[in-house]
Amino acid sequence: MEQAYIPHLSVDCVLFGFDEKQLKVLVVERDRLQEEDAKYHSGLLKIPGRLLFEEEYLEDAASSIIEELIGNESIPLQQFQVFGNPNRIKSPNDLLWLESQTKLPIKRVVTICFYALIKITDALTSTLNSHRAKWIPINEARGLAFDHDEIVREAYQHLKKELTASPLEFNLLPTYFTLNNLQALYEVILDQQFDNRNFRKKILKLPYLIETNKMETNVNHRPAKLYCFNEELYQKNKREMSLFFL
Amino acid sequence: MEQAYIPHLSVDCVLFGFDEKQLKVLVVERDRLQEEDAKYHSGLLKIPGRLLFEEEYLEDAASSIIEELIGNESIPLQQFQVFGNPNRIKSPNDLLWLESQTKLPIKRVVTICFYALIKITDALTSTLNSHRAKWIPINEARGLAFDHDEIVREAYQHLKKELTASPLEFNLLPTYFTLNNLQALYEVILDQQFDNRNFRKKILKLPYLIETNKMETNVNHRPAKLYCFNEELYQKNKREMSLFFL
DNA sequence: CCAAAAGTGTTTAGGGTACACCCATGC
DNA sequence: GCATGGGTGTACCCTAAACACTTTTGG
């Protein structure tokens, strides 16, 4: 049941990924067209997105865009901002590419943007190549096509604000993790350092953070205690846990 | 330079107004059409909005929608959410009305919503009647057309969140005002009571709140000191003044 | 003198921040 | 035994919150 596109409306997704060391963004390569004019340098990397179908829910569009790239995991994407300047698509090459993709005469596209943050896993990454998609570090996300630099920048601002206002989803770490893993996660995503002792004091108050009797292994230093995360308690308590960090 | 509408995209505005006692929302009456089917009760009040023109900036559309109703004051409207369910326009009467307005076959409209908060003045209100627009108290904004109940509800949530995260624009009060005026303003908008002494302590720390030597007059109780607001200091300090209230 | 709202200080408890050293393991 | 990161406690300050009475005006 393929539907017609709405030629003026697109959905774009900024998917952030954490690989236990860095914060990355998912981008896809767009084809370079023969007709392109070399003097217009327009990025060949873009964030995933496409025009909206006529009878499609916005959230469904966002999900399908991401699922096509990383498989069928359902990821809750959050709408954060619309980019709709009439001239947001400046480069002639970008326009050429859009028309070649959609077979529609494109004048102007208003794009509704979503974002999410997930854990980067090997399984996930293996499916990317076939779609010419890849993870790039957040601070290397420059020179993307269209106005995607700006979109990524804004999405990152939203992510940071959201993360300081409410606790993050814990599925960004392995099932068992150390408190220092958790601190590193916050530090990378918020781009901010925390005092180790104070961080532990705060984070241990979270009722859904469970201490296990497992230990790190195969490290050449004192092994750390492993913690895990109680989904049920998390769902129950996350509402009140806002404004946790400043 | 009239342009063509984009049939799938609209901009709607939730304009909140404070009249020194209540928080209100601006709504407009829509015509009842002869063809309407009485059995579908669809609201005859809606928030201001219209389809987007083909080459129009989103912000310009939002401004022009509001300026048409209340005159040429420039009000900074803030984009807050997109409502785009394919079936968000449920009532046949609403659809009829849309098509009669736009002369376009409307299937589905994705609407980008903006909001702002202003002071309700007499001058402002006098121009409303000719556009069949009016202010209604926020808690009476029920049974509006389309999904506008939901839009108003979400806008109000955003307003409250925004107001607790950063100081409000002071142009919601007369030039000279009492601290109790200010407290009443916060209490009405946030729908929350504050301790008078603690409120004063906090608010007096704001560097851009200036004590004058003027006094209230014509009140049959002890007259209050009047304060005013230093625009320049406000612009300079508002960034750091976040998270002021909880 | 009465009504009505303005204005004012103190105490307490909890949280944030800053800060330096010992511990357990692998090699 | 040494290198590496893991793990711990205290003191200070500041802020939030709770709380009740006196003051000044108009009528």
Side-chain angles (χ1 to χ4, degrees), chain A residues 54 56-57 79 82 85 108, chain B residues 54 56-57 79 82 108:
Chain A
E54 274 185 351
E56 194 178 30
Y57 279 79
Q79 190 193 116
V82 177
N85 287 353
R108 172 211 184 158
Chain B
E54 274 184 351
E56 193 178 29
Y57 279 79
Q79 191 193 115
V82 177
R108 172 210 185 160

Side-chain angles (χ1 to χ4, degrees), chain B residues 85-180:
Chain B
N85 288 355
N87 56 359
R88 54 177 281 268
I89 299 172
K90 288 185 289 281
S91 154
N93 289 345
D94 284 339
L95 269 171
L96 265 179
W97 180 83
L98 265 180
E99 298 192 355
S100 84
Q101 284 284 305
T102 60
K103 321 285 189 229
L104 291 168
I106 300 292
K107 287 183 190 161
R108 172 210 185 160
V109 180
V110 171
T111 190
I112 301 164
C113 296
F114 288 74
Y115 81 94
L117 170 61
I118 63 170
K119 173 168 65 172
I120 299 180
T121 62
D122 291 344
L124 217 104
T125 306
S126 65
T127 69
L128 291 183
N129 282 338
S130 54
H131 296 91
R132 296 195 299 163
K134 61 181 177 184
W135 295 104
I136 60 173
I138 175 85
N139 46 34
E140 291 171 22
R142 300 283 151 77
L144 304 180
F146 311 109
D147 54 353
H148 290 188
D149 282 9
E150 184 187 355
I151 294 178
V152 169
R153 208 166 48 237
E154 289 294 328
Y156 186 40
Q157 293 300 111
H158 276 264
L159 172 66
K160 285 198 279 190
K161 192 186 275 185
E162 176 63 25
L163 199 59
T164 54
S166 64
L168 54 75
E169 306 286 337
F170 271 64
N171 39 17
L172 297 170
L173 288 170
T175 314
Y176 296 99
F177 51 86
T178 72
L179 294 187
N180 288 339

Side-chain angles (χ1 to χ4, degrees), chain A residues 6 8-9 52-58 79 81-82 84-87 107-108 110 112 243 246, chain B residues 6 8-9 52-58 79 81-82 84-87 107-108 110 112 243 246:
Chain A
I6 298 177
H8 297 96
L9 255 179
L52 188 68
F53 291 128
E54 274 185 351
E55 299 190 8
E56 194 178 30
Y57 279 79
L58 302 174
Q79 190 193 116
Q81 197 175 333
V82 177
N85 287 353
N87 56 359
K107 288 183 192 163
R108 172 211 184 158
V110 172
I112 300 163
L243 296 173
L246 237 181
Chain B
I6 298 177
H8 296 97
L9 256 179
L52 188 68
F53 291 127
E54 274 184 351
E55 300 191 7
E56 193 178 29
Y57 279 79
L58 302 175
Q79 191 193 115
Q81 198 175 332
V82 177
N85 288 355
N87 56 359
K107 287 183 190 161
R108 172 210 185 160
V110 171
I112 301 164
L243 296 174
L246 241 181

